[in-house]
Amino acid sequence: VWINALHLFLFSVRYTAGAWIFDVEVPTHSQDLPKMVMFRRNLYTMCDYWPVLFGITFFTAFVGYRLEYYQRSEFLLDQQFARERRRQKDILNNMLPSFVVDKIVHTKGDWKNERKNVAQEWQAVSVVFCDIYDFISIVAAVEPITLVTILDRLFTHFDRLSDRFRVAKIETVSETYLAAAGLNTEEGGESVTSEEAARDAVSALKLAIAMLDSTSKMLVDLKKQTQGGDGATTERRPLQVKIGIHTGRVISGVVGSRKPQYALFGDTVNTASRM
């Protein structure tokens, strides 16, 4: 826009002031009158071309403004899209393993039809199966809000421990916390080495030991009825958990279209739960 305005200004100077300065002097004699005629001719020529130049300047200015407007709008949309994608990925990271989230985010088709491609087979996965000991008695002896607070504190701490030892959290069902070591690769576990399997098993053991140590420091107040039934006493005792670990073959995949869940299948999971 400024370049076009400068061109328009220089064109006006060329046909008016330029003609006056270089070709025209103040006419004091009759022989100088042709120079005044030349000046008027240049002025008329400028008047003929000035609307054309003004139209070109206005058109280019309008086109430049619209192009800049569209580019700025596209930039803002890209930034908003990137923020929404990061937000979506953060939400999915709380539900699914990171390598599964990457596949979901980069899926071009419909996720409901493509989720079967996430199914994988793993030859050596160390499954950690953790249960709260005597959970039924705890449910019967505490208030609902107290129970939810206990589970939230416990499982949130387990989540931090899982991140610390690089063990993938699978799910929490009632009083059960399920995690697995050896699911942190995108290629799958079809060709896992013995060293990698041993390293994953050690990570699962470290997680289990940390779980036992942390829960032993958590105290729970349980209300119990007296023998006569006319009163209640409060008993404070440490929270206890039962942990089973087993390493073996599992199959993993995402099931469900609403609230999709990353699940493990196989006898390894059942063996860990029985242990």
Side-chain angles (χ1 to χ4, degrees):
V1 176
W2 290 106
I3 294 176
N4 293 328
L6 180 61
H7 287 169
L8 185 61
F9 173 76
L10 293 178
F11 179 82
S12 302
V13 171
R14 165 67 180 83
Y15 279 94
T16 57
W20 179 269
I21 295 173
F22 297 106
D23 296 332
V24 180
E25 297 179 357
V26 179
T28 56
H29 302 86
S30 59
Q31 61 271 20
D32 295 328
L33 291 177
K35 295 183 179 181
M36 179 59 70
V37 174
M38 183 181 299
F39 172 77
R40 291 180 177 177
R41 184 182 302 168
N42 291 335
L43 182 62
Y44 293 153
T45 304
M46 185 202 71
C47 293
D48 292 336
Y49 284 101
W50 195 87
V52 177
L53 291 177
F54 178 79
I56 295 175
T57 302
F58 179 80
F59 176 76
T60 54
F62 176 77
V63 172
Y65 168 77
R66 296 304 298 181
L67 288 176
E68 184 177 0
Y69 174 79
Y70 286 132
Q71 290 175 355
R72 288 177 179 270
S73 300
E74 184 177 1
F75 174 78
L76 294 176
L77 288 176
D78 291 340
Q79 293 295 317
Q80 183 179 2
F81 177 76
R83 288 194 299 269
E84 292 297 328
R85 194 162 190 171
R86 287 193 298 268
R87 180 173 174 270
Q88 179 188 31
K89 193 171 183 179
D90 292 339
I91 295 174
L92 291 175
N93 280 328
N94 293 326
M95 302 171 53
L96 304 171
S98 59
F99 64 92
V100 177
V101 174
D102 293 335
K103 289 185 178 181
I104 294 175
V105 172
H106 295 91
T107 297
K108 296 182 179 179
D110 187 6
W111 161 244
K112 294 182 179 180
N113 297 326
E114 297 292 335
R115 65 179 182 272
K116 59 180 179 293
N117 296 329
V118 183
Q120 289 178 304
E121 180 181 5
W122 311 80
Q123 295 299 328
V125 173
S126 296
V127 179
V128 180
F129 199 97
C130 178
D131 266 344
I132 299 177
Y133 174 73
D134 199 17
F135 183 70
I136 297 178
S137 299
I138 296 176
V139 172
V142 299
E143 297 293 333
I145 188 172
T146 304
L147 178 65
V148 174
T149 302
I150 293 172
L151 293 177
D152 180 66
R153 287 178 52 197
L154 180 64
F155 290 157
T156 300
H157 184 67
F158 285 176
D159 291 341
R160 290 194 292 266
L161 292 177
S162 298
D163 294 337
R164 175 182 172 186
F165 296 107
R166 296 185 178 181
V167 179
K169 173 187 175 181
I170 304 302
E171 63 179 354
T172 56
V173 179
S174 185
E175 77 277 17
T176 301
Y177 188 94
L178 182 63
L183 299 174
N184 52 356
T185 59
E186 298 182 1
E187 294 81 8
E190 298 181 357
S191 59
V192 63
T193 62
S194 58
E195 291 80 5
E196 293 174 343
R199 181 192 59 196
D200 296 334
V202 170
S203 298
L205 288 171
K206 290 181 178 180
L207 173 63
I209 294 173
M211 285 178 170
L212 290 172
D213 182 64
S214 60
T215 53
S216 63
K217 300 176 183 178
M218 295 182 62
L219 300 178
V220 182
D221 294 330
L222 303 179
K223 294 181 180 180
K224 291 186 176 182
Q225 296 289 334
T226 59
Q227 293 183 356
D230 55 350
T233 59
T234 301
E235 177 187 359
R236 172 170 291 186
R237 72 180 189 185
L239 192 65
Q240 295 177 310
V241 293
K242 302 179 297 181
I243 301 178
I245 302 176
H246 187 61
T247 301
R249 173 183 175 271
V250 298
I251 295 176
S252 65
V254 179
V255 293
S257 58
R258 292 187 178 181
K259 295 182 180 181
Q261 182 178 1
Y262 185 77
L264 299 182
F265 310 96
D267 188 63
T268 302
V269 181
N270 298 330
T271 303
S273 65
R274 290 193 294 267
M275 293 181 65

